[in-house]
Each structure stands twice: as structure tokens, then as C-alpha cells.
Amino acid sequence: MDTQKYNQPGAVKLKSKAVEALMISPTKFWELTNPKTMAEVFDKQESPTMVAICNEAGEAWARALMVKLINNFVSFYSTNNTMSDYQIADTVDLMLEEYPHYKLDDYKLFFKMAKKGYFGQIFGRIDGEVILTWLKKYDEQRSLEAQNIAIKEKERIQYEQSDLNVGMSYDEYLEWKSKNK
């Protein structure tokens, strides 16, 4: 992954404290990361992206971290054929190339959803192609969720800026109704 193209002036940099904490104890950082929804992933600002990890900790360290994550994921399954070290390294490279903007929370949620069967069943094999196909499905869902959040935020801002906000919501109406009986 060529991280140099991401080191441009004006590029958003995440807090180095997150990467420092990750480098001190990757296992603890991973265990404390437990997003349940994509909205939680978007909201959690302190979770570093893979680009930030590569820039601050080094690409080799980021790859090693991803290898550990995939090994943990693969060990969850009882399959006849496990992934070789080469297959895992190749899968990591492809993941970092395709999804450098993902946070560690994205990968935690992705692996959790995959284990629950959200992207398909395992039929005796888990390999790079399966992981990358599932990751593509996750990315499609992630993009859709990001669009929905952006639309809701735009509508909220437009409502706040409009003259139509003189009314009340249904919850406000019920509260008003209970007070004015």
C-alpha cells in the first residue's frame, strides 16, 4: 500500500494517541473495540484508519496487525483447508490496498458479522477470495449506511434552518398533551 499519497497537506490526521495505545497493547485495544453498528464505527473518532496506522507505526507493523486479525478470524472456523502464511499475507495486502480508509472498528465489525453468517456460509473453506468477497458486501452495506446518515443529517440541518421548525414532533406533542389535560 502506498501510504505516501495520503500524506498530503490538508489531509485529516487522526489522533496519534490511538495509534500509540494500539502499539502498546494491540490485543487489549482489539478486545476493547466492540462496535455493534456501522453508525458506531463512523462515530468513534479515536479509532485509527489503516492509513494512520501505516503512517505512524509503519506499514510492516500494520500488516503484522492485520495478519493477527485474519489468523484469529480463520481459527474461528473448523475447515478442512486453512490459509497458508502466503495466502494470509496476500489477503492482507489486498485488503489494505482496497480499503485503506477503514478503521480497526470496521474490521472488528466485519469479522463479527462474518462469524454470524451475515455474508454467507462457509462450505469447507475460508480463504482470501471468501474474505474479500465478504468484505465487498460489507463495503456496500457501509456505503449505504453512510449515505443514509448523510441524508438524515442534511434533512436535520435543513429543518433547523427552515421556518417550518415552529411545529413539534410527535413525542413533543404527547408530552404537551399529557401536561395539558
Side-chain angles (χ1 to χ4, degrees), residues 95-144:
M95 290 169 71
L96 291 174
E97 180 181 307
E98 196 68 26
Y99 307 102
H101 58 287
Y102 273 16
K103 299 176 181 184
L104 280 179
D105 287 42
D106 277 303
Y107 288 112
K108 180 75 174 224
L109 183 60
F110 162 72
F111 288 132
K112 188 189 311 186
M113 292 171 72
K115 288 175 181 179
K116 291 179 178 180
Y118 282 40
F119 307 116
Q121 290 183 312
I122 294 292
F123 295 104
R125 74 167 219 203
I126 186 77
D127 57 27
E129 193 242 344
V130 170
I131 292 171
L132 293 168
T133 299
W134 287 355
L135 204 49
K136 186 175 182 180
K137 290 179 183 179
Y138 174 84
D139 191 59
E140 290 167 0
Q141 290 180 14
R142 185 183 189 276
S143 295
L144 185 60

Side-chain angles (χ1 to χ4, degrees), residues 19 31 34 46 58 61 93 107 110 131 143 152 169 175:
V19 176
E31 289 170 357
N34 193 25
E46 67 272 11
W61 199 90
D93 287 343
Y107 288 112
F110 162 72
I131 292 171
S143 295
K152 286 178 184 175
S169 69
E175 184 179 327

